[in-house]
Amino acid sequence: MRTVRLDEGIWRSDVPNGLVILTERMPWLRSAAAGFWVKTASAHEPREKMGVSHLLEHMVFKGTTTRSAQDIAVALESRGGGLDAYTGRDHTTYQARMLDADFPLALDLLTDIVRRPLLREADLALERNVVLEEIATVEDTPDDLVFDLHAAALWGSHSYGYRILGTRETVADLTVEDLKALHRRTYLPHQLVFAAAGNVEHEAVLGLLERAGWFALEPGPQEQVVAAPAAATRLEQRVERDGAQVHLVFGTETFRYGDPRRHALVLVSTIFGSGMSSRLFQRVREELGLAYTVYAFHSFLQASGAAGVYVGTQPPTAEQAAATIREEFAKLARHSLTAEELASAKQQVKGQLVLALEGPVSRMYRLAGSALYAESYKTIDQVLGEIDAVRPDEVAAVAAEFYAPERQVVVWLGPS
């Protein structure tokens, strides 16, 4: 096993079977956070099995070879901690938050649900209904649903356009064997990253993982790679449904997580639509009163990324809101940011980063991200330096390419 020190109190170990282990020691805390990241999720699913990764994430909590569902639910909650999981497009995550004294318990619990779920037919019937209720919740939440519709419009037949929860039809057709096959194929050491932050010692974590049997496991088949999606056909889609608001998403594909233009795009997105001081908030809400909620978003994935704008507005003002946002897109693409805006964006992004890293959960996520996206670990000071080093011409190039109004795929959801 190869172990290297990445920074003060930060270590990485690579086990021969492919498991990656990262820890950050925060000795001033009396708590810790830990989690396993599985390198498979909705982007790796065939269309007919859409939602299988998410359903498996639910099912591992229904019981293991050593714990009942009740045992899993009570183990950490009864001690003030908690257990959680989520499925994204690139990864499925299982994580725990606990007192430092309960770290061995939390690791044993995480190992149990990741390695030894029962995946019983009787549990599937119940949990399928829970997921169908979750799908119904999204369908009744238009500001969530519109993003699913936009992903489908933006990515087309690529798996990034699939619904993470699946559809009613695909979830209804999933079987226990589908879940077991996915678990056998992907919940393997070379497909996993383990990260922990808080009052933990790296050597102690390695000892716990070894005793849990992680180092003795054999690696599995080659990891799945998500192909880069083709550029979307520029379009505008209107989906009619009853409601008090029209929900609009403007957006375009950008670039993958490790692209060197990432900081420049984040700076542009921040000034464009992050917070009350942003251009969109000031123009759309404060000056014109066209919306309560308007913001810019961005995301970076394994094979691509996206950036855009969301707004929710009443039907009589929807066309005006859309026209105003297009005007702001055009202005940004043509003129980029002022020097004052760029300086403000850098300070805002750096401040948000530092504040976010005050707790162990965000530190844990940051550690895992470096391994999941095969990036060299960078200290916080290095990242802050990279943000400071972004040049005006780099920001202008990103603004011109990705914020041009004619590039945006637009989805409307609401009354006609």
Side-chain angles (χ1 to χ4, degrees), residues 10 47 73 86 97 101 120 136 138 142 150 165 174 176-177 188 196 202 251 276 292 308 322 328 340 368 382 411:
I10 301 176
R47 181 174 289 275
Y86 75 87
R97 183 86 162 88
R120 295 171 296 203
V138 171
H150 188 269
L165 304 185
L174 293 172
V176 164
E177 187 49 46
L188 299 167
H202 190 76
M276 293 189 294
Y292 176 76
E328 293 298 322
E340 292 77 15
Q382 285 176 316
V411 174

Side-chain angles (χ1 to χ4, degrees), residues 275-292:
M276 293 189 294
S277 62
S278 68
R279 290 185 182 187
L280 289 174
F281 191 95
Q282 288 296 312
R283 178 67 173 154
V284 175
R285 175 169 162 164
E286 296 299 286
E287 293 180 22
L288 300 176
L290 297 175
Y292 176 76

Side-chain angles (χ1 to χ4, degrees), residues 70-394:
Q70 179 72 10
D71 293 335
I72 294 169
V74 167
L76 285 179
E77 281 192 10
S78 64
R79 305 183 66 82
L83 189 64
D84 197 10
Y86 75 87
T87 305
R89 299 201 184 281
D90 287 334
H91 312 114
T92 305
T93 307
Y94 302 90
Q95 62 192 53
R97 183 86 162 88
M98 78 296 295
L99 298 175
D100 51 7
D102 291 328
F103 189 91
L105 169 64
L107 181 51
D108 183 65
L109 182 60
L110 287 167
T111 296
D112 214 16
I113 63 174
V114 170
R115 289 257 305 274
R116 295 182 284 270
L118 290 175
L119 305 178
R120 295 171 296 203
E121 188 71 47
D123 294 324
L124 176 60
L126 292 173
E127 204 59 29
R128 191 199 315 274
N129 285 335
V130 172
V131 172
L132 291 174
E133 289 294 336
E134 193 174 355
I135 292 171
T137 298
V138 171
E139 291 173 345
D140 279 347
T141 311
D143 51 339
D144 286 340
L145 177 61
V146 71
F147 278 93
D148 278 349
L149 297 173
H150 188 269
L154 180 64
W155 303 118
S157 60
H158 191 275
S159 56
Y160 279 160
Y162 296 175
R163 296 192 183 189
I164 293 172
L165 304 185
T167 67
R168 294 178 182 275
E169 293 73 24
T170 60
V171 171
D173 288 341
L174 293 172
T175 67
V176 164
E177 187 49 46
D178 291 327
L179 303 179
K180 290 181 177 179
L182 177 62
H183 188 268
R184 286 194 300 266
R185 188 176 69 251
T186 61
Y187 281 49
L188 299 167
H190 74 293
Q191 292 266 46
L192 295 174
V193 171
F194 178 81
N199 192 16
V200 295
E201 293 275 6
H202 190 76
E203 288 301 322
V205 172
L206 294 181
L208 290 169
L209 287 165
E210 183 175 22
R211 285 193 290 278
W214 282 105
F215 296 177
L217 295 175
E218 295 293 327
Q222 190 69 26
E223 294 178 25
Q224 293 176 279
V225 177
V226 180
T233 303
R234 312 301 170 214
L235 57 85
E236 186 165 324
Q237 178 183 356
R238 297 189 182 227
V239 179
E240 187 171 346
R241 65 178 285 170
D242 293 336
Q245 281 190 310
V246 176
H247 302 266
L248 293 95
V249 173
F250 299 73
T252 186
E253 78 285 349
T254 57
F255 40 76
R256 63 180 297 274
Y257 184 93
D259 194 286
R261 296 169 291 175
R262 186 173 70 210
H263 294 313
L265 189 141
V266 171
L267 293 173
V268 172
S269 182
T270 297
I271 289 298
F272 197 44
S274 177
M276 293 189 294
S277 62
S278 68
R279 290 185 182 187
L280 289 174
F281 191 95
Q282 288 296 312
R283 178 67 173 154
V284 175
R285 175 169 162 164
E286 296 299 286
E287 293 180 22
L288 300 176
L290 297 175
Y292 176 76
T293 301
V294 58
Y295 60 84
F297 63 87
H298 56 268
S299 62
F300 304 110
L301 300 167
Q302 184 180 19
S304 189
V309 169
Y310 164 84
V311 66
T313 183
Q314 296 179 73
T317 56
E319 294 290 349
Q320 185 185 358
T324 301
I325 290 170
R326 286 192 177 96
E327 290 171 5
E328 293 298 322
F329 267 117
K331 187 188 305 180
L332 178 61
R334 190 178 305 117
H335 302 297
S336 186
L337 307 184
T338 67
E340 292 77 15
E341 285 178 322
L342 180 54
S344 175
K346 288 180 178 181
Q347 183 56 52
Q348 187 174 341
V349 171
K350 291 190 298 179
Q352 289 170 347
L353 172 62
V354 172
L355 289 171
L357 293 177
E358 289 291 294
V361 174
S362 49
R363 298 269 182 148
M364 171 188 70
Y365 271 86
R366 185 168 181 271
L367 288 175
S370 66
L372 291 168
Y373 293 103
E375 284 201 320
S376 298
Y377 176 81
K378 295 173 183 176
T379 68
I380 296 172
D381 286 340
Q382 285 176 316
V383 176
L384 296 178
E386 289 180 352
I387 295 169
D388 272 331
V390 175
R391 303 187 310 270
D393 63 303
E394 294 173 318

